[in-house]
Amino acid sequence: MPDSSKPLRIAILINYFFTLRDFLFSPVWQEMSKHPDVQFLLLASDWDISAYVSGLNIDNIIPISMPQPAYNAESPSLQKTSLKNLWIQLFNKLDGKYLFQALLHRFTATHNLSHFHIRRERSKKEKEIHRVFYNYRLGEAAGFPFPQSRLLYRLAYEAHHGFLNLPHEDDIEFIRSLEPDLFVFGRLHYKPTAYWVNAIKRLNPPMIGMVSSWDPPTVQGATPRGMSGYVVASQRMKDEMAGLPTIPRAHIQQIGKPQMDIFCDPNTLMDRSEFLK
């Protein structure tokens, strides 16, 4: 239980561009600023948002730069030669080039997700068009040479999300230093998320995963274990997530798309003729 003498600390990992939109350019930002008794730790991983956040001078929203994770071979933490460090580098090289994409393909096929069928039934011309997007660059070849085997899927899943994806002690210590009472993944279906989930599980704070659209489990990766709850944007996404065997429907909250709430602001709305100009 959190210490009642300290402010509640909620760590939010801004680990993807669109996550920035959901939190910083939506009513969520204003809602966070209304709770001075809660400290929101915004962890920026891939870009520096510290200057933007600091310029707003909101005491309870604290920007923090994430360290370079130890699964990156360029990380100083991995420059020390040890059997464990060598394994981390080797595993993530394999994971980056093959395992993650194979797991993605097998996850969609094994769980019979709707968008898997959409992708499979596209014409050759449509598939070529969609290859320009990162989500579809490998198409249906992502799972080769895996057959329709649940056992091989389980092995791939455990490799990426289980004990083989080892968090480095430095990264566990970084999470410990934050003293989070709650950890929120701004984008749950994202390749690096599995590593940080494994690190946070060592410290056991509750975790919430946000799913911003209806297709991430199909085009971004398998859903990590260990979440206390899930936040989704649409009913379609809620139904898709609830169809997975390990996720109870009661643990999924549908909130819509916060970044679209601006279009409900009377100062933003205009009549049809004015809009068409």
Side-chain angles (χ1 to χ4, degrees):
M1 294 293 292
D3 186 344
S4 59
S5 64
K6 297 181 180 179
L8 189 68
R9 292 169 67 86
I10 300 178
I12 304 172
L13 178 55
I14 308 293
N15 55 349
Y16 195 74
F17 176 79
F18 292 116
T19 314
L20 189 71
R21 175 190 63 185
D22 293 344
F23 283 94
L24 302 191
F25 304 105
S26 76
V28 173
W29 179 261
Q30 287 78 22
E31 286 301 317
M32 290 193 296
S33 66
K34 293 177 183 177
H35 296 275
D37 54 325
V38 179
Q39 290 183 345
F40 295 96
L41 315 177
L42 292 189
L43 310 179
S45 60
D46 294 330
W47 60 92
D48 184 11
I49 61 170
S50 300
Y52 177 85
V53 178
S54 300
L56 296 176
N57 296 319
I58 299 176
D59 293 338
N60 69 320
I61 301 177
I62 305 168
I64 299 175
S65 296
M66 287 285 282
Q68 188 182 48
Y71 65 72
N72 189 317
E74 298 178 359
S75 171
S77 299
L78 286 187
Q79 301 310 311
K80 303 173 184 176
T81 302
S82 71
L83 186 60
K84 180 178 178 180
N85 288 350
L86 290 173
W87 164 249
I88 292 174
Q89 294 182 60
L90 176 63
F91 170 79
N92 283 284
K93 185 176 180 180
L94 173 66
D95 192 33
K97 290 189 174 181
Y98 177 74
L99 180 60
F100 180 73
Q101 290 293 341
L103 173 60
L104 166 57
H105 178 88
R106 293 302 312 129
F107 182 79
T108 60
T110 300
H111 292 292
N112 201 31
L113 299 183
S114 59
H115 203 247
F116 174 74
H117 298 286
I118 295 173
R119 293 174 66 184
R120 187 176 59 183
E121 294 166 8
R122 285 194 178 110
S123 67
K124 183 177 180 180
K125 181 178 180 180
E126 286 178 311
K127 290 178 181 178
E128 289 300 321
I129 292 173
H130 279 279
R131 285 183 199 278
V132 302
F133 301 104
Y134 172 80
N135 290 348
Y136 305 100
R137 66 178 179 177
L138 296 182
E140 284 61 51
F144 181 81
F146 280 177
Q148 300 289 330
S149 168
R150 287 182 177 270
L151 175 60
L152 288 175
Y153 157 69
R154 291 307 312 174
L155 290 173
Y157 183 93
E158 291 301 328
H160 185 70
H161 292 283
F163 69 95
L164 291 178
N165 195 349
L166 297 173
H168 197 277
E169 287 83 357
D170 290 357
D171 294 328
I172 296 174
E173 283 303 312
F174 168 75
I175 299 297
R176 180 179 284 111
S177 71
L178 300 176
E179 299 182 320
D181 297 304
L182 173 66
F183 200 99
V184 178
F185 288 96
R187 191 175 182 91
L188 180 62
H189 296 96
Y190 192 54
K191 183 178 181 296
T193 297
Y195 176 84
W196 288 110
V197 168
N198 285 348
I200 295 165
K201 275 197 268 190
R202 279 13 183 222
L203 307 175
N204 207 32
M207 295 181 284
I208 290 178
M210 298 194 66
V211 186
S212 61
S213 184
W214 72 269
D215 63 355
T218 323
V219 298
Q220 293 288 356
T223 302
R225 286 190 300 246
M227 299 298 116
S228 302
Y230 304 84
V231 176
V232 302
S234 66
Q235 184 65 43
R236 175 71 174 272
M237 186 71 256
K238 185 172 184 176
D239 292 341
E240 193 100 304
M241 296 288 289
L244 301 176
T246 59
I247 301 178
R249 180 175 288 270
H251 290 183
I252 307 171
Q253 297 296 322
Q254 178 190 345
I255 65 167
K257 286 185 173 290
Q259 71 272 19
M260 302 300 290
D261 287 353
I262 188 173
F263 297 107
C264 297
D265 186 341
N267 298 320
T268 304
L269 298 177
M270 60 181 69
D271 59 37
R272 178 180 173 82
S273 60
E274 185 66 22
F275 174 78
L276 292 176
K277 289 180 182 179

